[in-house]
Amino acid sequence: MNRIISKKQLSAEVFEMVVEAPLIAGARKAGQFLIVQIDSEWGERIPLTIADADTAAGTVTLVFQTVGATTHKLAWKEPGEFVENILGPLGNPTHIEKFGTVVCVGGGIGAAPLFPIVQAMKAAGNRVQVIIGARSRELVIFEERMGQYADGLTIVTDDGSYGRKALVTEPLKEFCQADPKPDMAVAIGPPIMMKFCTKTAGEFNVPIMVSLNTIMIDGTGMCGGCRVNVGGKTKFVCVDGPEFDGRLVDFENMMIRMRAFKEREELDHHRCHLELGLEGSPGS
Ligand code: FAD
Ligand code: FES
Ligand code: MG
């Protein structure tokens, strides 16, 4: 069991939780994730990226959006309580090298998993331009933290309530059009956002890396739940990824597979609210 050290609500739907996990904190690298089981041996297992870690304190930081039953249950935990278990670090670390200029794009909750990559790209000597996109002002996260590492930070919102009124692809296109163009792009967010970032970067021959958020169960390559088509080959996101060359990813197929359990998820979410009396709760 892992003790929750602190909990902070970053926006209406996003929570940051620091959890004790000394071995993981010491071993993790940018881009890796955990499988977290919240409340019982038989509870649902969900993948969450390691947004940060403190080796001295022996803790990892999780940043998650309350989208369904399990993330709501996690949001209801308080410091001093425990999560049943955490497995990790899983997945391959991000390929970090000195590329030159790297544009890092985070959409919604994607800004959190992007943060350790921005830190590592900067530490490797890159010039890092960060674009954060959200539906509205209240949903912009990690602005201050990104600002500490980025050479430039662009905020866009769908409704124009903060930063530029634009989709992330607009500033990405401007960076790609510039001379010299970026040497690499990284995009993390909803699949549809990563698909269009890939299209934009592709038009200018800028290589782009995306971090896929498929459904996962075991996280160790055994269940096949995270299967995706990359460059015409079957890959498992948990062991072959989570990052891939965006230009090779079959996003359409991935999005269809991610909708496979939609009805069941909605039912669980509804039941979770009724059983726990969570109407009007944090992140509801
Ligand atoms: P549900 O109502 O069960 O599902 C809502 C949606 O979440 C589904 O439609 C599906 O798209 C997705 N989802 C559901 N179950 C799973 C599952 N077992 N595995 C993957 N996706 C699922 N989210 C964050 O908020 N922060 C993160 O740092 C983060 N990192 C991730 C890293 C990886 C490698 C992956 C694959 C996913 C990551 N996610 C992250 C997504 C997160 O796992 C889902 O939001 C979570 O599982 C939803 O669970 P739920 O029961 O609350 O919602
Ligand atoms: Fe089971 Fe990847 S999560 S194979
Ligand atoms: Mg669920």
Side-chain angles (χ1 to χ4, degrees):
M1 291 177 97
N2 301 71
R3 185 193 300 272
I4 297 166
I5 304 298
S6 66
K7 177 176 92 168
K8 196 156 84 183
Q9 188 159 4
L10 299 185
S11 76
E13 297 171 359
V14 177
F15 291 79
E16 176 173 323
M17 215 171 238
V18 175
V19 182
E20 220 166 46
L23 294 178
I24 296 173
R28 70 98 200 196
K29 293 205 168 63
Q32 290 187 298
F33 65 94
L34 305 168
I35 296 272
V36 183
Q37 206 167 14
I38 313 303
D39 56 0
S40 84
E41 202 184 332
W42 307 108
E44 186 175 51
R45 300 155 59 89
I46 61 163
L48 294 174
T49 305
I50 307 168
D52 209 347
D54 182 334
T55 42
T59 57
V60 291
T61 303
L62 308 175
V63 178
F64 59 93
Q65 186 168 13
T66 50
V67 291
T70 305
T71 44
H72 274 90
K73 281 182 194 163
L74 185 57
W76 266 78
K77 294 264 184 194
E78 294 296 343
E81 292 186 72
F82 293 82
V83 290
E84 183 69 21
N85 66 61
I86 290 182
L87 174 69
L90 298 171
N92 298 297
T94 306
H95 173 71
I96 303 287
E97 64 171 71
K98 186 169 178 185
F99 292 103
T101 298
V102 182
V103 182
C104 294
V105 189
I109 187 71
L114 189 69
F115 179 60
I117 298 174
V118 168
Q119 282 178 308
M121 287 292 187
K122 188 66 199 163
N126 291 290
R127 184 173 163 73
V128 184
Q129 291 289 350
V130 175
I131 303 169
I132 298 180
R135 290 200 307 273
S136 62
R137 182 185 196 113
E138 306 75 56
L139 299 174
V140 173
I141 57 166
F142 273 56
E143 179 182 0
E144 210 181 297
R145 271 176 267 203
M146 290 293 195
Q148 289 166 9
Y149 292 88
D151 293 287
L153 176 61
T154 309
I155 310 272
V156 297
T157 50
D158 293 1
D159 64 1
S161 53
Y162 193 51
R164 275 172 66 178
K165 184 178 190 310
L167 299 175
V168 289
T169 42
E170 234 175 82
L172 175 62
K173 184 173 178 184
E174 289 160 11
F175 281 120
C176 292
Q177 277 171 330
D179 186 18
K181 63 185 182 191
D183 300 284
M184 171 62 79
V186 181
I188 309 186
I192 192 79
M193 181 211 101
M194 294 192 282
K195 176 184 161 179
F196 281 102
C197 285
T198 298
K199 186 169 178 287
T200 303
E203 282 163 13
F204 300 91
N205 285 322
V206 172
I208 183 164
M209 200 164 68
V210 294
S211 182
L212 301 185
N213 49 355
T214 52
I215 288 184
M216 288 191 185
I217 301 159
D218 65 311
T220 60
M222 290 191 286
C223 71
C226 64
R227 200 173 73 235
V228 283
N229 188 325
V230 180
K233 295 201 174 95
T234 295
K235 298 280 177 188
F236 292 157
V237 175
C238 64
V239 288
D240 298 320
E243 284 156 17
F244 295 95
D245 180 339
R247 295 164 297 182
L248 302 178
V249 174
D250 181 345
F251 284 105
E252 293 306 322
N253 180 263
M254 175 181 155
M255 288 189 277
I256 291 169
R257 284 180 57 77
M258 285 181 72
R259 286 194 291 269
F261 303 103
K262 206 81 205 154
E263 271 179 36
R264 179 61 203 260
E265 285 158 3
E266 276 165 14
L267 195 67
D268 275 0
H269 189 181
H270 183 62
R271 194 180 293 141
C272 165
H273 270 58
L274 289 180
E275 280 175 10
L276 301 177
L278 297 187
E279 297 301 338
S281 67
S284 66

